[in-house]
Amino acid sequence: MKKSNKRNNILWVLTMIVLTIIFVLPLYSAVVNSLRSVYSAPIVGIPKKINWINYKYAVTLIPFFKYLVSSLIIVAITSIFAITVDFFYGYAFARLNVKGNKFLFLLVLSQMMIPGVAMTIPRYITFANFGMKDTYWIWILTGAAGNAFAIFRYKQFIELVPRDIEEAAFIDGCGFFRIITQIYMPMCKNVMVISLFGAITGAWSDYMTPYMYLTSENYPLAIALFNAAYQIPGDSAANTEPIKLAAAILFSLPMIALFFVCQKQLTDGMTAGSVKG
Amino acid sequence: MKKRLMCTIVTVLTVAVLLCGCKELGKKENKVEKIRMTYAATEIDGVNQDLDVIFADFYKEHPNAEIVLEEGGSTMMAKIAANDAPDIIRVSAATDIPTFANKNIIMPLDDMLAKSELFDKDDIFPAALDAFTYNGKEFGKGNIYGLPKDWSPDLLWVNKALFDKAGIPVPTLDDPMTYSELADAAKKMTEKNGKDITVFGLNDITGGKPYRIELMLNLMGKSMWSEDYKKVNLKDKDVRAAFKYIYDLEINGYNPSEIHPIDGAGLSDFPENKIGIFNSALWVGGGFSKAENRTVDLDDMVLCPPVVSDATNKIVTSSSMTGAVIYAKTENPELVFDCWEFIHLGKPVELRAGKAMNLPVKKSVANKISVDDEFTMKNFEFVTNLSENYESINMRSNPYITKSSIDGIITKYYVPMLNGRYTFDEALDLMESELQILIDEGIENFN
Amino acid sequence: MNLFSKKGSDNARSRRLFRIPKGYEGAKFKAFYIIMIPFVLLFLAINVYPLLWGIYISFTNFTGFNMDDLKIVGLSNYQRVFTDAEALPSIWRTVKIGLITVPGSLIISLAISMLLSQKRPATGLFRTLLYLPAVLPMLAITIMWRQLYAYNGGIFNVILENLGMEKINWFGYDYAYTALIIMMLGGATGGILGNIAAIKNVPNELYEAAEIDGAGPIRKMFKITIPMISNILYMNILMSIINTLQLFAQPVFLSSQTGASGDSITAVPIEPLYTYLVHIYQQIFVNMRFGYGLALVWIIFVIIMIITLIMESTKKFWVFKED
């Protein structure tokens, strides 16, 4: 029994290694190719001469840190709303059953099914001239209007919490603000991490909204890295693909780091969520 | 403990949001005149990236101005629809100006140019000026809408060793290649190894297929559009022949295409002895001398005049030029014009031209340029010489349909055709009917 | 995690009937309005108003320049969908992609989740590594995959060459579809965290009982694990269908034409990757047919709605309920 278990373990580990290699292949290839020379074709193995300069180019050819600040601001705005306002909305939909609640919630849900472009274009055309240009107001307003996915998730979780806790707290003189922030929020901490993670990754890689509303002064990295911005001055003939790859890796690193940081909460949150869907 | 951490995070985030709000407020107090443009920083100056450095002289005269760049290409149409287009719009002259000028999206600059101290009509290369002069139907006549940032005629880069091997004479200014000679040479030089093409006789990436075809037709005095632009005639004898010409080159692998791909768009392949004729512009030469795996001798990379029409045998070509125009609804036209003028006629012109990678718009600047690199200098002088004595014809461009629409439709059916999903004539039919629908709609919504 | 069990919540509900605290309902009402009034106002302004405007525009001939003399054209934008040579074929193309990627991703992520929820060495490490591709921003992923598919020197072609086969033009007409599918399946591990969590939540007693009955691992998987996590699988399938119908970025950024210029939203992907959303983007951003483009949007929205309603109303046949 023990021996066969050990053999099974080895077999299992081998399978997992193969699977990991398959799924991590794009990342590996990106790393390797980001180190090749800008005057050469794609490669498979590690290049003979490692061109760290591509990473330097990726950061210096564009005002990388200025763009980073903008990305961080957008991420900050979005994430604040994801863990505060959305939670309140989710709570209201879950617990405060007043007439009209269901209909409103359906409207929110329908947001999940409309292709993004159907909202961004009309929103842009109708709002562009209300002083939204080159400010972060659009993120503040859309954030305050709630994110359908986050509201949906919060509602589901809050519905699982027994009501008597809330009622007991109410008898003890707790207002609803305190009930939400001091009872529900700590209970739903892991779900909040999930929403936060979703909000951060979403805002980090969104290119459409900044395309519309921002100018180079406030560009986030998502735009800067992926339009034609990479050109070595005076050397327009260089193939900037390796630099783009280097940029893509730099662009992904914060998300990978974030994942490592909140991996445990994400997993726990999902565990709790899997009971009810 | 964890609660405190959460509190800290929320506080930090809130402060960040407030700060960015304050940043906006702080800006408003200074009464900054923002000038928005869709150039990339590298395109304006060629040396510097930092806008404060590039526009240092401009800011001295206009302390209240602030120049910001923004993305133009894909979202430009939505920005125009929202009355929110940038002040200075980067365009590809032949393809964007007809749409924009006819819909009054851009303003004619004639009056302001007449007052300008930097503008001397005789000092501008005629081809560069003509490409931005438009009267609602034709280029070369009417109002001036802008200028290119820099430019280059279409040129042939020739691999002399491969020409010698195939026994073809290298074209010269007096004896340029015609389209039929080009096809012939491409066929002779192409080498195959099984299905793989090891040497492409020709690599033509200039401006896309519709551009190439319309240029060929215009050189012969023909066009794929009817005289009033209201009809598209792809099945006209000459138009069909022009399509067939391109199609034959690609289906046989003489020119790279979706079925015979080439990596790096030819930029790294030409120096590696994989291309016979590279139809491109002056600037690609910059990468050739630096190419890591270069096997072609620099002396064997010869710059030649563009292809001429079989019928006329004149050196005439017009190039797709990138430049900028001014948005008609801009709030502060004078200031925006000053900025436009600074970029296109002021100091940046010299900086951009400094590396001799492209021609400046001013002849006087072109004649002053000198770089140490012998290869670059030789080619630059060749192009300057060619351009000063060159008779340009202006491409026809349909005001009722956008360039990207034409590109989109033709690409959509061309590739399946190469792959045998449609026969040649079926594909032309489909392209024609879909183009016609958009033209009809364009006419209907034309002011 | 007792708090989250269904029983607790039921008990609470039954008990509540007997003692609702004084003033609770009133306070609830007040709280509702304090939260909901700003929500409704913002929601109307930011989401509903543009939505209605978009619906209105879909009945006009708006092309971006003609706001001043806008004509109502009735249903003609909607009729055009059926005469347009590309609209319906592009829906079919999108569905064809979904027919492979939706079940494919489900099976891959389920299989990996099953493997990872066993008690084995270093499961945490493998889980992290396998989930990694799902964390990367989509834009970065497509840039990375373009590299894998390069004709010369791309990993796939190098492998084919070493196996003595011919190189493939992955961006070409014949293989673009396959290339997209492989790329999308490469992101299939995005569901594993949720799946593993759900699998681990399945009570051990069920397996033990099944073992006593002599059930093998495969039987256990189909009779216990899959029914017990059917809820999360259902959600995965639904979201996956919705996302596939809205497929846009992957085909556009993967297509070879995008590589040359940086301007990517308006690039026309090769025909097999010309999906419905790409067609919409082409109409809006390239041809400036805002009216028609938005009509196309509302049609896909209605299709998605119908699919969702069908799935929701047949949910009881798909999803296993404990009670």
mmCIF file of all heavy atoms in Angstrom, chain A residues 37 39-40 61 77 80 124 129 133-134 211 215-219 233 235-237, chain B residues 13-14 17 23 34 36 49 66 68-71 78-79 82 84 283 287 290 292:
data_model
loop_
_atom_site.group_PDB
_atom_site.id
_atom_site.type_symbol
_atom_site.label_atom_id
_atom_site.label_comp_id
_atom_site.label_asym_id
_atom_site.label_seq_id
_atom_site.Cartn_x
_atom_site.Cartn_y
_atom_site.Cartn_z
ATOM 1 N N SER A 37 18.308 40.107 -28.843
ATOM 2 C CA SER A 37 18.661 41.399 -29.419
ATOM 3 C C SER A 37 17.520 41.936 -30.269
ATOM 4 O O SER A 37 16.755 41.167 -30.848
ATOM 5 C CB SER A 37 19.911 41.233 -30.268
ATOM 6 O OG SER A 37 19.918 42.160 -31.308
ATOM 7 N N TYR A 39 17.720 43.171 -33.002
ATOM 8 C CA TYR A 39 17.978 42.990 -34.425
ATOM 9 C C TYR A 39 17.920 41.521 -34.820
ATOM 10 O O TYR A 39 18.496 41.097 -35.810
ATOM 11 C CB TYR A 39 19.333 43.574 -34.814
ATOM 12 C CG TYR A 39 19.424 45.048 -34.530
ATOM 13 C CD1 TYR A 39 20.204 45.522 -33.493
ATOM 14 C CD2 TYR A 39 18.706 45.955 -35.291
ATOM 15 C CE1 TYR A 39 20.275 46.877 -33.227
ATOM 16 C CE2 TYR A 39 18.763 47.302 -35.022
ATOM 17 C CZ TYR A 39 19.547 47.761 -33.993
ATOM 18 O OH TYR A 39 19.601 49.105 -33.722
ATOM 19 N N SER A 40 17.264 40.676 -34.020
ATOM 20 C CA SER A 40 17.253 39.257 -34.366
ATOM 21 C C SER A 40 15.847 38.685 -34.323
ATOM 22 O O SER A 40 14.913 39.311 -33.849
ATOM 23 C CB SER A 40 18.160 38.487 -33.397
ATOM 24 O OG SER A 40 17.597 38.516 -32.109
ATOM 25 N N LEU A 61 12.228 54.354 -22.552
ATOM 26 C CA LEU A 61 11.732 54.914 -23.817
ATOM 27 C C LEU A 61 10.391 55.606 -23.647
ATOM 28 O O LEU A 61 9.979 56.393 -24.479
ATOM 29 C CB LEU A 61 11.614 53.825 -24.887
ATOM 30 C CG LEU A 61 12.923 53.366 -25.518
ATOM 31 C CD1 LEU A 61 12.657 52.373 -26.619
ATOM 32 C CD2 LEU A 61 13.704 54.542 -26.060
ATOM 33 N N ILE A 77 -8.503 54.216 -7.106
ATOM 34 C CA ILE A 77 -9.903 54.661 -7.151
ATOM 35 C C ILE A 77 -10.819 53.443 -7.258
ATOM 36 O O ILE A 77 -11.748 53.267 -6.476
ATOM 37 C CB ILE A 77 -10.138 55.587 -8.356
ATOM 38 C CG1 ILE A 77 -9.351 56.877 -8.192
ATOM 39 C CG2 ILE A 77 -11.620 55.895 -8.500
ATOM 40 C CD1 ILE A 77 -9.378 57.760 -9.410
ATOM 41 N N ILE A 80 -10.926 51.256 -4.032
ATOM 42 C CA ILE A 80 -11.663 51.823 -2.893
ATOM 43 C C ILE A 80 -13.155 51.539 -3.046
ATOM 44 O O ILE A 80 -13.821 51.072 -2.134
ATOM 45 C CB ILE A 80 -11.464 53.348 -2.817
ATOM 46 C CG1 ILE A 80 -10.068 53.655 -2.323
ATOM 47 C CG2 ILE A 80 -12.476 53.958 -1.846
ATOM 48 C CD1 ILE A 80 -9.836 55.120 -2.184
ATOM 49 N N TYR A 124 -19.081 57.756 -23.388
ATOM 50 C CA TYR A 124 -18.061 58.723 -23.797
ATOM 51 C C TYR A 124 -18.681 59.853 -24.615
ATOM 52 O O TYR A 124 -18.428 61.021 -24.375
ATOM 53 C CB TYR A 124 -16.976 58.022 -24.601
ATOM 54 C CG TYR A 124 -15.974 58.961 -25.201
ATOM 55 C CD1 TYR A 124 -15.067 59.626 -24.380
ATOM 56 C CD2 TYR A 124 -15.947 59.210 -26.555
ATOM 57 C CE1 TYR A 124 -14.158 60.507 -24.906
ATOM 58 C CE2 TYR A 124 -15.038 60.099 -27.093
ATOM 59 C CZ TYR A 124 -14.150 60.742 -26.262
ATOM 60 O OH TYR A 124 -13.260 61.622 -26.791
ATOM 61 N N ASN A 129 -17.981 65.941 -22.976
ATOM 62 C CA ASN A 129 -17.896 67.383 -22.862
ATOM 63 C C ASN A 129 -18.365 67.934 -21.528
ATOM 64 O O ASN A 129 -18.627 69.112 -21.391
ATOM 65 C CB ASN A 129 -18.664 68.033 -24.016
ATOM 66 C CG ASN A 129 -17.889 67.867 -25.302
ATOM 67 O OD1 ASN A 129 -16.669 68.013 -25.310
ATOM 68 N ND2 ASN A 129 -18.572 67.511 -26.371
ATOM 69 N N LYS A 133 -12.735 65.121 -19.565
ATOM 70 C CA LYS A 133 -11.507 64.907 -20.310
ATOM 71 C C LYS A 133 -10.297 65.120 -19.425
ATOM 72 O O LYS A 133 -10.215 66.120 -18.706
ATOM 73 C CB LYS A 133 -11.480 65.897 -21.478
ATOM 74 C CG LYS A 133 -10.415 65.605 -22.480
ATOM 75 C CD LYS A 133 -10.774 64.394 -23.287
ATOM 76 C CE LYS A 133 -9.530 63.892 -23.989
ATOM 77 N NZ LYS A 133 -9.811 62.717 -24.795
ATOM 78 N N ASP A 134 -9.378 64.147 -19.498
ATOM 79 C CA ASP A 134 -8.112 64.261 -18.797
ATOM 80 C C ASP A 134 -8.246 64.419 -17.283
ATOM 81 O O ASP A 134 -7.441 65.064 -16.640
ATOM 82 C CB ASP A 134 -7.303 65.432 -19.356
ATOM 83 C CG ASP A 134 -5.849 65.039 -19.491
ATOM 84 O OD1 ASP A 134 -5.559 63.858 -19.254
ATOM 85 O OD2 ASP A 134 -5.026 65.887 -19.814
ATOM 86 N N TYR A 211 -7.872 55.210 -23.065
ATOM 87 C CA TYR A 211 -7.770 55.606 -24.466
ATOM 88 C C TYR A 211 -8.686 56.787 -24.746
ATOM 89 O O TYR A 211 -8.370 57.719 -25.451
ATOM 90 C CB TYR A 211 -8.265 54.457 -25.358
ATOM 91 C CG TYR A 211 -7.210 53.717 -26.131
ATOM 92 C CD1 TYR A 211 -7.475 52.447 -26.632
ATOM 93 C CD2 TYR A 211 -5.969 54.269 -26.372
ATOM 94 C CE1 TYR A 211 -6.524 51.745 -27.341
ATOM 95 C CE2 TYR A 211 -5.021 53.568 -27.090
ATOM 96 C CZ TYR A 211 -5.299 52.316 -27.570
ATOM 97 O OH TYR A 211 -4.383 51.622 -28.268
ATOM 98 N N THR A 215 -4.983 61.847 -21.637
ATOM 99 C CA THR A 215 -3.913 62.194 -22.570
ATOM 100 C C THR A 215 -2.591 61.761 -21.949
ATOM 101 O O THR A 215 -2.558 61.315 -20.807
ATOM 102 C CB THR A 215 -3.864 63.703 -22.832
ATOM 103 O OG1 THR A 215 -3.575 64.346 -21.603
ATOM 104 C CG2 THR A 215 -5.189 64.214 -23.362
ATOM 105 N N SER A 216 -1.522 61.927 -22.712
ATOM 106 C CA SER A 216 -0.221 61.393 -22.295
ATOM 107 C C SER A 216 0.171 61.850 -20.894
ATOM 108 O O SER A 216 0.883 61.165 -20.188
ATOM 109 C CB SER A 216 0.854 61.833 -23.274
ATOM 110 O OG SER A 216 0.970 63.233 -23.225
ATOM 111 N N GLU A 217 -0.318 63.008 -20.525
ATOM 112 C CA GLU A 217 -0.043 63.540 -19.197
ATOM 113 C C GLU A 217 -0.403 62.511 -18.115
ATOM 114 O O GLU A 217 0.291 62.360 -17.136
ATOM 115 C CB GLU A 217 -0.904 64.797 -19.039
ATOM 116 C CG GLU A 217 -0.542 65.726 -17.976
ATOM 117 C CD GLU A 217 0.831 66.364 -18.182
ATOM 118 O OE1 GLU A 217 1.592 66.021 -19.106
ATOM 119 O OE2 GLU A 217 1.139 67.198 -17.375
ATOM 120 N N ASN A 218 -1.496 61.803 -18.335
ATOM 121 C CA ASN A 218 -2.023 60.898 -17.318
ATOM 122 C C ASN A 218 -2.188 59.472 -17.813
ATOM 123 O O ASN A 218 -2.976 58.721 -17.273
ATOM 124 C CB ASN A 218 -3.385 61.395 -16.835
ATOM 125 C CG ASN A 218 -3.284 62.732 -16.157
ATOM 126 O OD1 ASN A 218 -2.385 62.955 -15.363
ATOM 127 N ND2 ASN A 218 -4.170 63.638 -16.488
ATOM 128 N N TYR A 219 -1.481 59.105 -18.867
ATOM 129 C CA TYR A 219 -1.643 57.740 -19.383
ATOM 130 C C TYR A 219 -1.246 56.697 -18.355
ATOM 131 O O TYR A 219 -0.238 56.847 -17.682
ATOM 132 C CB TYR A 219 -0.764 57.533 -20.616
ATOM 133 C CG TYR A 219 -1.457 57.797 -21.920
ATOM 134 C CD1 TYR A 219 -0.745 57.792 -23.111
ATOM 135 C CD2 TYR A 219 -2.814 58.046 -21.973
ATOM 136 C CE1 TYR A 219 -1.358 58.039 -24.325
ATOM 137 C CE2 TYR A 219 -3.431 58.287 -23.184
ATOM 138 C CZ TYR A 219 -2.713 58.276 -24.347
ATOM 139 O OH TYR A 219 -3.322 58.513 -25.532
ATOM 140 N N PRO A 233 14.960 55.889 -30.411
ATOM 141 C CA PRO A 233 15.121 57.145 -31.135
ATOM 142 C C PRO A 233 16.191 57.011 -32.221
ATOM 143 O O PRO A 233 17.268 56.481 -31.992
ATOM 144 C CB PRO A 233 15.572 58.127 -30.055
ATOM 145 C CG PRO A 233 15.171 57.506 -28.777
ATOM 146 C CD PRO A 233 15.172 56.034 -28.977
ATOM 147 N N ASP A 235 16.324 55.095 -34.588
ATOM 148 C CA ASP A 235 16.562 53.739 -35.065
ATOM 149 C C ASP A 235 15.207 53.077 -35.290
ATOM 150 O O ASP A 235 14.869 52.082 -34.679
ATOM 151 C CB ASP A 235 17.383 52.962 -34.035
ATOM 152 C CG ASP A 235 17.889 51.661 -34.613
ATOM 153 O OD1 ASP A 235 17.591 51.386 -35.797
ATOM 154 O OD2 ASP A 235 18.562 50.916 -33.889
ATOM 155 N N SER A 236 14.453 53.679 -36.197
ATOM 156 C CA SER A 236 13.085 53.203 -36.377
ATOM 157 C C SER A 236 13.050 51.808 -36.975
ATOM 158 O O SER A 236 12.000 51.178 -37.032
ATOM 159 C CB SER A 236 12.320 54.183 -37.257
ATOM 160 O OG SER A 236 13.157 54.654 -38.276
ATOM 161 N N ALA A 237 14.192 51.300 -37.424
ATOM 162 C CA ALA A 237 14.196 50.004 -38.080
ATOM 163 C C ALA A 237 14.339 48.848 -37.102
ATOM 164 O O ALA A 237 14.143 47.703 -37.475
ATOM 165 C CB ALA A 237 15.324 49.945 -39.098
ATOM 166 N N LEU B 13 -5.557 54.652 0.420
ATOM 167 C CA LEU B 13 -6.248 54.737 -0.868
ATOM 168 C C LEU B 13 -7.087 56.007 -0.942
ATOM 169 O O LEU B 13 -7.080 56.717 -1.934
ATOM 170 C CB LEU B 13 -7.129 53.509 -1.084
ATOM 171 C CG LEU B 13 -6.364 52.196 -1.282
ATOM 172 C CD1 LEU B 13 -7.334 51.042 -1.455
ATOM 173 C CD2 LEU B 13 -5.445 52.278 -2.486
ATOM 174 N N THR B 14 -7.809 56.311 0.167
ATOM 175 C CA THR B 14 -8.644 57.507 0.165
ATOM 176 C C THR B 14 -7.786 58.745 -0.051
ATOM 177 O O THR B 14 -8.120 59.621 -0.851
ATOM 178 C CB THR B 14 -9.391 57.642 1.504
ATOM 179 O OG1 THR B 14 -9.829 56.355 1.891
ATOM 180 C CG2 THR B 14 -10.561 58.579 1.383
ATOM 181 N N VAL B 17 -6.872 59.138 -3.618
ATOM 182 C CA VAL B 17 -7.951 59.682 -4.456
ATOM 183 C C VAL B 17 -8.087 61.181 -4.242
ATOM 184 O O VAL B 17 -8.182 61.964 -5.181
ATOM 185 C CB VAL B 17 -9.285 58.971 -4.146
ATOM 186 C CG1 VAL B 17 -10.429 59.702 -4.816
ATOM 187 C CG2 VAL B 17 -9.235 57.550 -4.628
ATOM 188 N N LYS B 23 -4.908 67.551 -7.363
ATOM 189 C CA LYS B 23 -4.008 67.796 -8.474
ATOM 190 C C LYS B 23 -4.764 68.525 -9.583
ATOM 191 O O LYS B 23 -4.285 69.468 -10.174
ATOM 192 C CB LYS B 23 -3.478 66.455 -8.973
ATOM 193 C CG LYS B 23 -2.266 66.548 -9.859
ATOM 194 C CD LYS B 23 -1.805 65.132 -10.223
ATOM 195 C CE LYS B 23 -1.283 65.084 -11.625
ATOM 196 N NZ LYS B 23 -1.291 63.753 -12.185
ATOM 197 N N LYS B 34 -4.374 73.985 -22.724
ATOM 198 C CA LYS B 34 -3.886 72.670 -23.132
ATOM 199 C C LYS B 34 -3.938 72.526 -24.645
ATOM 200 O O LYS B 34 -4.926 72.891 -25.271
ATOM 201 C CB LYS B 34 -4.744 71.587 -22.499
ATOM 202 C CG LYS B 34 -4.086 70.983 -21.295
ATOM 203 C CD LYS B 34 -4.800 69.743 -20.832
ATOM 204 C CE LYS B 34 -4.281 69.401 -19.442
ATOM 205 N NZ LYS B 34 -5.071 68.431 -18.757
ATOM 206 N N ARG B 36 -3.787 69.541 -27.281
ATOM 207 C CA ARG B 36 -3.751 68.075 -27.368
ATOM 208 C C ARG B 36 -3.332 67.663 -28.769
ATOM 209 O O ARG B 36 -3.802 68.214 -29.746
ATOM 210 C CB ARG B 36 -5.134 67.508 -27.062
ATOM 211 C CG ARG B 36 -5.576 67.739 -25.629
ATOM 212 C CD ARG B 36 -7.073 67.667 -25.500
ATOM 213 N NE ARG B 36 -7.605 66.444 -26.090
ATOM 214 C CZ ARG B 36 -8.864 66.299 -26.473
ATOM 215 N NH1 ARG B 36 -9.719 67.301 -26.344
ATOM 216 N NH2 ARG B 36 -9.277 65.165 -26.997
ATOM 217 N N GLN B 49 12.830 62.777 -25.914
ATOM 218 C CA GLN B 49 11.550 62.153 -25.636
ATOM 219 C C GLN B 49 10.700 63.050 -24.754
ATOM 220 O O GLN B 49 9.488 62.973 -24.775
ATOM 221 C CB GLN B 49 11.776 60.838 -24.881
ATOM 222 C CG GLN B 49 12.499 59.793 -25.657
ATOM 223 C CD GLN B 49 11.534 58.829 -26.280
ATOM 224 O OE1 GLN B 49 10.376 58.781 -25.923
ATOM 225 N NE2 GLN B 49 12.007 58.060 -27.233
ATOM 226 N N GLU B 66 0.286 74.215 -22.500
ATOM 227 C CA GLU B 66 0.778 72.919 -22.034
ATOM 228 C C GLU B 66 0.438 71.880 -23.093
ATOM 229 O O GLU B 66 -0.721 71.732 -23.473
ATOM 230 C CB GLU B 66 0.124 72.534 -20.708
ATOM 231 C CG GLU B 66 0.794 71.333 -20.085
ATOM 232 C CD GLU B 66 -0.071 70.640 -19.064
ATOM 233 O OE1 GLU B 66 -1.139 71.168 -18.697
ATOM 234 O OE2 GLU B 66 0.327 69.534 -18.660
ATOM 235 N N VAL B 68 0.001 68.178 -24.487
ATOM 236 C CA VAL B 68 -0.190 66.798 -24.056
ATOM 237 C C VAL B 68 -0.438 65.922 -25.282
ATOM 238 O O VAL B 68 -1.003 66.378 -26.272
ATOM 239 C CB VAL B 68 -1.373 66.640 -23.075
ATOM 240 C CG1 VAL B 68 -1.050 67.279 -21.753
ATOM 241 C CG2 VAL B 68 -2.646 67.213 -23.658
ATOM 242 N N LEU B 69 0.018 64.707 -25.208
ATOM 243 C CA LEU B 69 -0.185 63.772 -26.315
ATOM 244 C C LEU B 69 -1.323 62.837 -25.975
ATOM 245 O O LEU B 69 -1.593 62.583 -24.807
ATOM 246 C CB LEU B 69 1.081 62.949 -26.541
ATOM 247 C CG LEU B 69 2.370 63.728 -26.678
ATOM 248 C CD1 LEU B 69 3.527 62.763 -26.902
ATOM 249 C CD2 LEU B 69 2.302 64.706 -27.824
ATOM 250 N N GLU B 70 -2.010 62.345 -26.982
ATOM 251 C CA GLU B 70 -2.992 61.316 -26.701
ATOM 252 C C GLU B 70 -3.103 60.338 -27.854
ATOM 253 O O GLU B 70 -2.619 60.596 -28.954
ATOM 254 C CB GLU B 70 -4.348 61.911 -26.344
ATOM 255 C CG GLU B 70 -5.055 62.614 -27.474
ATOM 256 C CD GLU B 70 -6.373 63.206 -26.995
ATOM 257 O OE1 GLU B 70 -6.332 64.108 -26.154
ATOM 258 O OE2 GLU B 70 -7.424 62.748 -27.452
ATOM 259 N N GLU B 71 -3.759 59.222 -27.557
ATOM 260 C CA GLU B 71 -3.882 58.169 -28.549
ATOM 261 C C GLU B 71 -4.865 58.637 -29.607
ATOM 262 O O GLU B 71 -5.917 59.165 -29.308
ATOM 263 C CB GLU B 71 -4.388 56.906 -27.863
ATOM 264 C CG GLU B 71 -4.058 55.637 -28.570
ATOM 265 C CD GLU B 71 -5.044 55.326 -29.658
ATOM 266 O OE1 GLU B 71 -6.187 55.818 -29.605
ATOM 267 O OE2 GLU B 71 -4.677 54.602 -30.584
ATOM 268 N N ALA B 78 -14.446 57.941 -32.595
ATOM 269 C CA ALA B 78 -15.328 58.166 -31.450
ATOM 270 C C ALA B 78 -15.095 59.559 -30.888
ATOM 271 O O ALA B 78 -16.030 60.239 -30.461
ATOM 272 C CB ALA B 78 -15.087 57.112 -30.387
ATOM 273 N N LYS B 79 -13.844 60.004 -30.900
ATOM 274 C CA LYS B 79 -13.539 61.338 -30.372
ATOM 275 C C LYS B 79 -14.172 62.412 -31.235
ATOM 276 O O LYS B 79 -14.671 63.416 -30.734
ATOM 277 C CB LYS B 79 -12.026 61.527 -30.271
ATOM 278 C CG LYS B 79 -11.464 60.768 -29.087
ATOM 279 C CD LYS B 79 -9.974 60.906 -28.931
ATOM 280 C CE LYS B 79 -9.545 60.137 -27.681
ATOM 281 N NZ LYS B 79 -8.112 59.985 -27.578
ATOM 282 N N ALA B 82 -17.799 62.644 -30.552
ATOM 283 C CA ALA B 82 -18.107 63.295 -29.282
ATOM 284 C C ALA B 82 -17.706 64.765 -29.293
ATOM 285 O O ALA B 82 -17.735 65.412 -28.257
ATOM 286 C CB ALA B 82 -17.408 62.560 -28.141
ATOM 287 N N ASP B 84 -14.819 65.929 -29.517
ATOM 288 C CA ASP B 84 -13.761 65.972 -28.517
ATOM 289 C C ASP B 84 -12.444 65.549 -29.158
ATOM 290 O O ASP B 84 -11.625 64.907 -28.531
ATOM 291 C CB ASP B 84 -14.154 65.018 -27.366
ATOM 292 C CG ASP B 84 -13.152 65.052 -26.250
ATOM 293 O OD1 ASP B 84 -12.694 66.152 -25.926
ATOM 294 O OD2 ASP B 84 -12.825 63.971 -25.714
ATOM 295 N N TRP B 283 13.996 55.332 -44.600
ATOM 296 C CA TRP B 283 14.323 55.083 -43.196
ATOM 297 C C TRP B 283 14.712 53.649 -42.878
ATOM 298 O O TRP B 283 15.438 53.391 -41.934
ATOM 299 C CB TRP B 283 13.201 55.537 -42.283
ATOM 300 C CG TRP B 283 11.866 54.860 -42.504
ATOM 301 C CD1 TRP B 283 10.881 55.287 -43.326
ATOM 302 C CD2 TRP B 283 11.402 53.655 -41.916
ATOM 303 N NE1 TRP B 283 9.817 54.430 -43.289
ATOM 304 C CE2 TRP B 283 10.100 53.415 -42.436
ATOM 305 C CE3 TRP B 283 11.932 52.750 -41.001
ATOM 306 C CZ2 TRP B 283 9.345 52.305 -42.070
ATOM 307 C CZ3 TRP B 283 11.172 51.643 -40.633
ATOM 308 C CH2 TRP B 283 9.899 51.419 -41.161
ATOM 309 N N GLY B 287 18.302 50.404 -40.182
ATOM 310 C CA GLY B 287 18.452 49.136 -39.491
ATOM 311 C C GLY B 287 19.406 48.184 -40.197
ATOM 312 O O GLY B 287 19.953 47.275 -39.580
ATOM 313 N N LYS B 290 22.997 47.968 -38.962
ATOM 314 C CA LYS B 290 23.134 47.490 -37.577
ATOM 315 C C LYS B 290 22.701 46.043 -37.403
ATOM 316 O O LYS B 290 22.919 45.454 -36.352
ATOM 317 C CB LYS B 290 22.280 48.358 -36.648
ATOM 318 C CG LYS B 290 22.831 49.744 -36.464
ATOM 319 C CD LYS B 290 22.087 50.432 -35.327
ATOM 320 C CE LYS B 290 22.073 51.930 -35.518
ATOM 321 N NZ LYS B 290 20.744 52.476 -35.676
ATOM 322 N N GLU B 292 22.057 42.367 -36.755
ATOM 323 C CA GLU B 292 22.988 41.482 -36.065
ATOM 324 C C GLU B 292 23.518 40.364 -36.964
ATOM 325 O O GLU B 292 24.697 40.031 -36.939
ATOM 326 C CB GLU B 292 22.276 40.876 -34.848
ATOM 327 C CG GLU B 292 23.218 40.408 -33.783
ATOM 328 C CD GLU B 292 22.455 40.107 -32.500
ATOM 329 O OE1 GLU B 292 21.607 39.193 -32.537
ATOM 330 O OE2 GLU B 292 22.690 40.781 -31.496
#
